[in-house]
């Protein structure tokens, strides 16, 4: 059975952010992830991680102006200095919070910037960020995102991400594979996971089309969980979905998976 982490940016939306740690623990999670910690002092988050015995497995680099619709600035050659400052801030938080994986949002293709120039900037900035993360034992992750949800996003497929990783040549640069985004962009989830698992260090999930909990859409999640076990994936799977109904009630799929995994262990015994 994969290890599941609660994404506190999407789950428990009716609770203030700092109260969501307790809710994740009460739901049986041992780990959490979230998008951005920067609105809080690191110690505020550290206190809650310690209080509830939770591991923080992932957060993102600063995205630019999120409220204005920016979704990263890594591919924007006009903002490289700002990007480099954001890398330092993210690492400072990661060191305080004990995080070993940072996701670097690519951003949207900037207006009036040719694709080739944006690509060159993206690769250069990723090399810089990976080099800054390496001495601290931090992996840098890139995530392909679907263009229905974020039109114009620069990194859109697993093949593109793999090619970028190879071009960068950084030994701590890996892929963050989001099942929801990749089902919308390319399908072939099982084949893609088999092909690229050596490059994948974090997985996230939500069902398609609504981005709700597993079982509300078209994806055969029990098959994928079994596949991940068969492939030997030992990383975290982040539950980055928008609950359909109350968050606690949305964990029925997780209870079923735990029962299924327990039954399999009994059969093997």
């Amino acid at each position: 059975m994969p290890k599941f982490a609660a994404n506190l940016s999407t789950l428990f939306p009716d609770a203030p952010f700092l109260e969501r740690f307790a809710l994740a623990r009460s739901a049986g999670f041992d780990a959490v992830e979230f998008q951005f910690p920067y609105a809080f002092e690191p110690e505020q988050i550290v206190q809650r991680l310690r209080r509830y015995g939770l591991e923080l497995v992932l957060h993102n680099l600063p995205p630019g102006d999120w409220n204005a619709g920016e979704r990263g600035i890594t591919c924007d050659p006009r903002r490289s200095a700002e990007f480099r400052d954001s890398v330092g801030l993210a690492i400072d938080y990661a060191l305080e919070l004990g995080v070993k994986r940072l996701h670097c949002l690519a951003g949207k293709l900037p207006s009036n910037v040719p694709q080739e120039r944006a690509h060159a900037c993206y690769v250069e900035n990723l090399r810089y960020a990976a080099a800054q993360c390496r001495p601290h034992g931090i992996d840098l992750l890139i995530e392909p995102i679907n263009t229905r949800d974020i039109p114009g996003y620069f990194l859109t497929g697993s093949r593109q991400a793999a090619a970028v990783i190879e071009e960068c040549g950084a030994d701590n640069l890996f892929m963050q594979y989001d099942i929801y985004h990749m089902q919308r962009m390319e399908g072939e989830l099982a084949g893609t996971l088999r092909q690229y698992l050596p490059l994948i260090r974090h997985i996230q999930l939500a069902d398609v089309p609504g981005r709700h909990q597993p079982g509300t859409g078209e994806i055969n999640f029990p098959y994928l969980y079994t596949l991940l076990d068969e492939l030997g994936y030992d990383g975290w799977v982040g539950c980055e979905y928008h609950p359909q109904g109350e968050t606690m009630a949305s964990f029925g799929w997780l209870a079923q998976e735990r029962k299924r995994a327990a039954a399999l262990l009994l059969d093997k015994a």
Side-chain angles (χ1 to χ4, degrees), residues 140-181:
L140 187 70
L141 309 183
I142 57 174
E143 176 191 11
I145 292 178
N146 84 81
T147 53
R148 294 181 178 90
D149 288 5
I150 306 181
Y153 197 75
F154 185 77
L155 185 66
T156 61
S158 52
R159 180 180 298 179
Q160 180 191 4
V164 167
I165 290 169
E166 182 177 5
E167 183 176 356
C168 287
D171 61 4
N172 62 327
L173 179 63
F174 297 99
M175 190 187 309
Q176 178 171 310
Y177 187 86
D178 190 303
I179 291 169
Y180 166 79
H181 287 303

Side-chain angles (χ1 to χ4, degrees), residues 39-59:
F40 303 92
E41 293 297 324
E43 185 57 29
Q44 293 177 280
I45 297 173
V46 169
Q47 287 175 355
R48 283 152 181 84
L49 293 171
R50 290 174 178 167
R51 183 182 304 166
Y52 301 111
L54 293 166
E55 179 182 353
L56 178 60
V57 300
L58 177 82
H59 68 75

Side-chain angles (χ1 to χ4, degrees), residues 27-161:
F29 288 96
D30 296 320
V32 296
E33 63 178 32
F34 46 71
Q35 293 171 351
F36 310 110
Y38 309 108
F40 303 92
E41 293 297 324
E43 185 57 29
Q44 293 177 280
I45 297 173
V46 169
Q47 287 175 355
R48 283 152 181 84
L49 293 171
R50 290 174 178 167
R51 183 182 304 166
Y52 301 111
L54 293 166
E55 179 182 353
L56 178 60
V57 300
L58 177 82
H59 68 75
N60 297 345
L61 271 69
D65 190 342
W66 185 269
N67 292 332
E70 292 183 346
R71 296 297 181 265
I73 58 174
T74 315
C75 70
D76 191 340
R78 301 166 297 190
R79 302 175 71 177
S80 290
E82 180 183 349
F83 172 79
R84 295 188 175 208
D85 289 342
S86 78
V87 172
L89 178 61
I91 291 174
D92 287 345
Y93 266 83
L95 294 176
E96 294 254 18
L97 302 178
V99 174
K100 292 300 183 181
R101 290 184 174 88
L102 292 173
H103 168 224
C104 182
L105 287 149
K108 303 174 186 178
L109 180 65
S111 59
N112 301 318
V113 174
Q115 180 85 16
E116 296 78 7
R117 187 181 176 205
H119 175 83
C121 175
Y122 185 50
V123 169
E124 179 182 357
N125 280 336
L126 287 177
R127 286 173 176 160
Y128 172 83
Q132 296 302 303
C133 289
R134 186 179 296 108
H136 306 290
I138 296 172
D139 290 337
L140 187 70
L141 309 183
I142 57 174
E143 176 191 11
I145 292 178
N146 84 81
T147 53
R148 294 181 178 90
D149 288 5
I150 306 181
Y153 197 75
F154 185 77
L155 185 66
T156 61
S158 52
R159 180 180 298 179
Q160 180 191 4

Side-chain angles (χ1 to χ4, degrees), residues 10 12-14 212-213 216 241-250:
T10 60
F12 313 107
D14 296 329
H212 302 310
Q213 61 265 31
T216 58
Y241 63 79
H242 300 289
Q244 188 177 68
E246 293 290 331
T247 297
M248 286 297 187
S250 80

Side-chain angles (χ1 to χ4, degrees), residues 192-228:
T192 303
L193 285 167
R194 286 191 183 96
Q195 180 178 0
Y196 292 117
L197 193 67
L199 298 179
I200 294 171
R201 287 296 182 274
H202 191 71
I203 293 174
Q204 292 176 323
L205 63 75
D207 216 334
V208 173
R211 203 173 187 180
H212 302 310
Q213 61 265 31
T216 58
E218 67 192 34
I219 298 175
N220 185 348
F221 278 101
Y223 172 77
L224 293 179
Y225 305 148
T226 300
L227 175 65
L228 290 174

